[in-house]
Amino acid sequence: SGTSNSEGAGKVSLLKKVPALKDGDFTLAECTAILLYLSRKYNTPDHWYPSDIQKRARVDEYLSWHHNNIRANAPKTMWIKVLIPLFTGQPLPSEKLQEVMEGLSTSLKQFEERFLQDKAFIIGSEISLADLVAIVELMQPVGVGCDIFEDRPRLREWRRRVEDAVGKELFFQAHEMILNIKELSNIQIDPQLKEQLTPVLMKMLK
């Protein structure tokens, strides 16, 4: 996610942020709210956001925890290794990546021990929105060469089950941009855009 100052973005999202959803006259911001809205509107299979109140609460529990843990660290690997150097023209100190990876390692340990445990998926034997939200963030380090699954067999097997549940072709199609993020290093960025976005990107790492 990020901030957009464009007039069009402001019309879709009062927060002027992406992602944002426009459904007729209805607009909605924040990825989790959008996922939940779509699952309810289109009456998706029950396992995605279970009708059972306790299973649903487990999905909600993970989504609440995720924002300040996995999401607070995993995407920063992409900013540090690709996006900030692209905009600033300078690599960040290796210590910055090490700091982020240490925070992510702590979050992954909690993820495995608190949420995944010995289950196939986060809330049990079936995939849910919790797994989708988690995997999208955790594929971002992979895209920049930080394979967080390599030395974590339990996490690696969970990823394999998510791939199988979604379908491998669709899974890699959905993550194609993330897995090819390094290719952005070859593009030219407009100098004015660099000037506008560099302070925003640096602020994200604080």
Side-chain angles (χ1 to χ4, degrees):
S1 65
T3 301
S4 172
N5 294 319
S6 71
E7 182 181 351
K11 289 179 180 178
V12 175
S13 169
L14 294 176
L15 300 177
K16 295 186 178 182
K17 293 181 68 177
V18 292
L21 169 75
K22 190 173 189 301
D23 185 14
D25 295 330
F26 179 72
T27 60
L28 187 65
E30 300 298 337
C31 58
T32 300
I34 291 170
L35 279 175
L36 297 179
Y37 172 79
L38 293 173
S39 71
R40 290 162 177 152
K41 175 173 180 175
Y42 292 104
N43 194 28
T44 55
D46 190 70
H47 63 85
W48 290 114
Y49 195 50
S51 55
D52 179 275
I53 190 171
Q54 293 187 353
K55 289 183 178 180
R56 178 170 291 193
R58 290 300 183 199
V59 174
D60 293 338
E61 179 184 40
Y62 176 77
L63 295 177
S64 297
W65 176 85
H66 172 90
H67 187 78
N68 291 319
N69 291 276
I70 299 296
R71 193 177 188 195
N73 290 295
K76 288 181 180 178
T77 58
M78 184 173 61
W79 297 111
I80 290 171
K81 296 201 70 174
V82 176
L83 297 179
I84 290 179
L86 176 64
F87 279 89
T88 65
Q90 297 292 331
L92 287 174
S94 59
E95 292 81 5
K96 196 65 182 179
L97 179 62
Q98 181 63 30
E99 178 185 330
V100 168
M101 291 303 294
E102 288 174 359
L104 180 56
S105 180
T106 298
S107 294
L108 290 174
K109 186 174 187 294
Q110 293 176 354
F111 176 80
E112 289 187 291
E113 294 178 355
R114 177 178 174 184
F115 292 100
L116 196 54
Q117 299 176 2
D118 60 352
K119 304 189 298 292
F121 298 100
I122 292 175
I123 68 164
S125 60
E126 293 184 293
I127 194 172
S128 72
L129 289 180
D131 299 282
L132 285 189
V133 170
I135 196 65
V136 167
E137 304 286 6
L138 295 180
M139 290 301 290
Q140 294 184 44
V142 175
V144 295
C146 301
D147 192 346
I148 58 173
F149 298 97
E150 185 176 8
D151 298 322
R152 296 180 174 90
R154 178 162 47 173
L155 196 67
R156 187 171 61 248
E157 285 303 303
W158 165 77
R159 171 187 163 175
R160 181 189 58 76
R161 288 190 291 269
V162 172
E163 287 182 18
D164 289 342
V166 172
K168 288 187 180 295
E169 182 177 353
L170 180 58
F171 181 91
F172 285 102
Q173 180 182 344
H175 294 95
E176 182 177 6
M177 183 176 293
I178 291 175
L179 294 175
N180 293 295
I181 194 72
K182 288 183 177 181
E183 294 180 5
L184 287 180
S185 60
N186 298 319
I187 69 173
Q188 297 295 318
I189 304 296
D190 179 82
Q192 185 177 358
L193 184 60
K194 280 188 177 183
E195 185 178 350
Q196 290 175 344
L197 290 184
T198 295
V200 176
L201 296 174
M202 297 302 292
K203 186 178 180 181
M204 292 177 66
L205 294 178
K206 294 181 179 179

